[in-house]
Each structure stands twice: as C-alpha cells, then as structure tokens.
Amino acid sequence: KKLGETLKDSQMSVRLSALRGLAIMGPKAAAAAPDVKAMFDQTKDASAKVATAATLAALGSNADANAKVVLDALKDRTPAGKSGRVAAIDFVEFLGPKGRPAVPELIEALKDKSLTGRPSGGQVRERAAKVLGRMASAASAAIRPLTDALKDSERGMREAAADALGMFGPDAVVAAPKLREMIRVYPESASIAQMALDRIEPMKKTD
C-alpha cells in the first residue's frame, strides 16, 4: 500500500513508479530514504540504480553525490549504458537546480530515435522533449531545437515537442508561427499544438 513498501515489489516497473512518487513528494517523503538507500545498495539493475539515486537526491539525502550518479548516466551513450541513460532522462527533473547541467545532454538526446525499451514505449527523443518541458525554467536553450522538431516526420516527436514548448509559456513565443503551421499541416496534432499556443500566447486564446 505505502510507496516505501512498493519498493520491494517483484515488478521493476512498479518499483520505478514508486520511486517516481517519492521523488515527486521530495523532502516530505524523507522518512523513506533508508528504504530507497537499501534499494540503491542492493540493486544490480542500471535503471533502478539511477532512479534510486535521483530519488535520494530529491529527498535531500546526499544530494550532490546522488545527482552525480544521474548526470554521469545521462552522459553514457554506449549500448551498455542505454538502460541507465533512459532512467536518467526520466528522473533528472527531480534533481532541482542540480539538474541544470543535464540540459545540453537532454538537447542532444532530441536526436536519439532509438526506442526507450520501457513498457510505455516511445523513442528516447520523445522522452527527452517532455522532460525539457518540465525543466523549462532551466532549459531555455531547448526552445529552438524543440521548435525545429515541430516539423518532424513522426507524429510522436512533433506532439512531444509541442507539448514541451507549451510548458515554457510566453518564453517560447518564437515557436508560435511553427505551431500554427503545425495545426494547418498536421490536423491530427492540432489539439496539442493549440494547447501549446494557448499557454504561449494566453492573451490570444480563443474559445
């Protein structure tokens, strides 16, 4: 029932979801830190190692060292490091200000068309786009490459980029013309593009 207890679940996806829940709670869930640390020490799974490190940082436990685990995994572009890198993309937003150094790597990941290997599917670049949106306050450098992605040939990437740009709000005004073009050219993605426009140009929002 409790998130801490879920860390012992036999399904890795359930454990990762529990870690995300704890990371979202942040210092309020500090009492779970010993359980998360135990998982960090015991696991041999690369994605779990990175996710537990990010969660510990979010809980305020040895934040510098644990943030370094996540940032180092994000930089590992080798095939063997893929699982840890995807986990780092998924969890880096929980590092707070310590996650700022990840922005260039996340922007680079916008070029990665490989699959995440996660049950939820999708490409690495789509995950990176969404995370950059959630890190908008520290990721203004991503606005231009995300804008360029609005004309991507694949729907999933176009929509991930549009959704991310919406999270930047008015700071992403440069993307507005491309979002309007996306509405015209890709009607199947029009609703997501319009939602992004409504956040970027709230004064122009129409009923």
Side-chain angles (χ1 to χ4, degrees):
K1 290 187 289 188
K2 295 181 179 178
L3 284 173
E5 296 173 0
T6 313
L7 296 178
K8 300 174 183 176
D9 194 275
S10 60
Q11 297 283 334
M12 178 58 70
S13 60
V14 173
R15 281 179 276 167
L16 291 176
S17 294
L19 288 168
R20 175 171 286 275
L22 291 168
I24 290 170
M25 292 171 68
K28 293 179 182 177
D35 289 336
V36 178
K37 180 63 165 62
M39 183 177 173
F40 176 86
D41 291 338
Q42 294 166 12
T43 188
K44 291 181 172 58
D45 181 272
S47 60
K49 184 72 76 174
V50 171
T52 49
T55 303
L56 286 167
L59 299 181
S61 178
N62 202 6
D64 288 337
N66 283 307
K68 185 177 185 302
V69 172
V70 180
L71 296 173
D72 286 349
L74 188 58
K75 295 174 184 176
D76 187 349
R77 300 178 195 173
T78 66
K82 175 73 173 289
S83 177
R85 185 166 180 255
V86 171
I89 291 171
D90 284 345
F91 277 83
V92 70
E93 65 187 281
F94 300 118
L95 300 184
K98 297 183 189 303
R100 285 178 180 270
V103 171
E105 285 294 332
L106 289 168
I107 292 173
E108 185 64 25
L110 293 175
K111 303 172 186 176
D112 189 346
K113 295 184 179 183
S114 67
L115 298 177
T116 63
R118 295 284 190 269
S120 54
Q123 297 176 344
V124 170
R125 61 184 187 150
E126 294 167 16
R127 291 287 186 96
K130 292 173 182 177
V131 172
L132 283 165
R134 293 196 289 268
M135 293 177 65
S137 62
S140 59
I143 292 174
R144 179 62 66 182
L146 286 169
T147 301
D148 290 342
L150 294 175
K151 53 189 178 185
D152 193 88
S153 61
E154 296 187 32
R155 178 178 179 177
M157 185 57 191
R158 291 195 304 270
E159 294 184 352
D163 188 49
L165 285 163
M167 297 182 198
F168 284 87
D171 287 345
V173 67
V174 67
K178 294 295 184 184
L179 284 163
R180 292 192 186 91
E181 182 180 344
M182 182 175 168
I183 291 171
R184 291 194 302 272
V185 177
Y186 301 107
E188 70 276 12
S189 302
S191 60
I192 290 176
Q194 186 62 58
M195 282 190 289
L197 272 173
D198 290 345
R199 297 178 75 173
I200 292 169
E201 299 181 326
M203 298 304 291
K204 295 184 179 181
K205 185 175 180 179
T206 56
D207 294 332

